[in-house]
Amino acid sequence: DKRHCVRCLSSSADDAKLRVKRVSIEGNIAVGKSTFARLLQSACPDWEVMTEPVSRWQNIESETSKDTEGQAQTTVSNLLQMMYQDPQRWSYTFQTYSCMSRLRTQLQPPPARLLGSKGTPVQVYERSVYSDRYIFALNMFELGCINPTEWAVYQDWHSLLVEEFGQQVELEGIIYLRATPEKCMERLVCRGRPEEEGVTLDYLNKLHVQHEKWLVEKSTEVHFEKLKLVRVLQLDASVEFKSDPEVQEQFITKVKNFFE
Ligand code: DCP
């Protein structure tokens, strides 16, 4: 009967949701994650590739006051810029927002197209709640831009959310776009995002070391135990893959083989 059909449908959707393979693309600032994400989306139209909401961090609308007629006055702030201009004041706030917007993306239900696909549905994210914590927030704490109390609070709510959301934030695999910090610096200068003008090679070096500890050495000093088990596909992103169809094809083949 009808109720039975509805139940079947929803249980198969739930089933498919559980089958979704979640993959994140990781790598230093400006290494080319967005370019790679676009590439992946066109090579694998059945997959869902979700990009990072940087523009949301650059345009946060807030209510500042009410005018004489009681109308709300709003202002738009650029939290990315605020964080780079005054890291001690804004890093904690930025990291909170970045992680929250990431969770929101990751918790979105997969589209019907994905759930209806015959093979295993794959959802790809640019970065993850793990790089937020183990790359950026940790680095800011080590630099003294997030103080020990803020760091304790951050880790507390982060662990709670990861535990509570369980499978919905678990990763099947990680694609690590690996390049030298010098190469990333070159690309960063070339793209010229105004907020990142003050980013130094030293800062990119530190982020590189955090990536290596996490994804290559798989150091467990600070990471979630489960993360150690996540498979990592390393791609040499020092080569100019953006404009080289041959390298692009090699990358895509490696990714497909890895997640088959
Ligand atoms: N950022 C941060 N803390 C985070 C996440 C990001 O400080 N938890 C900052 C670093 C960059 C900007 O936000 O200034 C975007 O960083 P990403 O490396 O995530 O994205 P890119 O746009 O640099 O990636 P790519 O150029 O590889 O596509």
Side-chain angles (χ1 to χ4, degrees), residues 152-210:
V153 172
Y154 179 100
Q155 294 185 97
D156 201 8
W157 62 249
H158 191 283
S159 299
L160 175 77
L161 292 178
V162 167
E163 276 157 29
E164 285 299 315
F165 287 116
Q167 217 174 346
Q168 292 181 82
V169 292
E170 265 171 29
L171 296 176
E172 164 82 19
I174 293 173
I175 301 169
Y176 176 26
L177 297 184
R178 190 174 189 218
T180 59
E182 287 77 12
K183 189 43 104 189
C184 295
M185 192 68 193
E186 225 176 79
R187 292 178 185 160
L188 184 144
V189 170
C190 187
R191 85 161 163 220
R193 192 182 273 157
E195 295 88 345
E196 294 172 344
E197 250 172 33
V199 172
T200 59
L201 183 58
D202 184 48
Y203 186 65
L204 293 186
N205 268 322
K206 289 199 164 65
L207 294 176
H208 179 72
V209 171
Q210 302 289 18

Side-chain angles (χ1 to χ4, degrees), residues 216-232:
V216 182
E217 295 156 31
K218 302 212 169 178
S219 127
T220 50
E221 291 158 48
V222 286
H223 304 152
F224 286 118
E225 192 62 24
K226 265 191 181 168
L227 270 186
K228 251 196 325 188
L229 307 174
V230 178
R231 296 188 309 142
V232 178

Side-chain angles (χ1 to χ4, degrees), residues 33-66:
K33 295 179 292 298
S34 306
T35 308
F36 187 75
R38 282 193 296 273
L39 190 70
L40 208 54
Q41 184 67 91
S42 63
C44 310
D46 280 354
W47 295 8
E48 188 188 22
V49 182
M50 300 159 112
T51 49
E52 194 175 40
V54 178
S55 62
R56 196 180 292 158
W57 310 335
Q58 292 168 311
N59 295 286
I60 298 182
E61 205 173 297
S62 53
E63 194 177 307
T64 45
S65 57
K66 294 219 184 328

Side-chain angles (χ1 to χ4, degrees), residues 81-109:
Q81 185 180 45
M82 289 153 79
M83 191 257 312
Y84 277 122
Q85 279 178 354
D86 189 352
Q88 291 209 324
R89 169 67 185 83
W90 292 109
S91 284
Y92 176 80
T93 311
F94 182 89
Q95 293 308 326
T96 305
Y97 198 59
S98 157
C99 192
M100 200 195 77
S101 50
R102 192 116 33 214
L103 257 181
R104 189 181 278 137
T105 308
Q106 212 163 332
L107 294 175
Q108 268 174 31

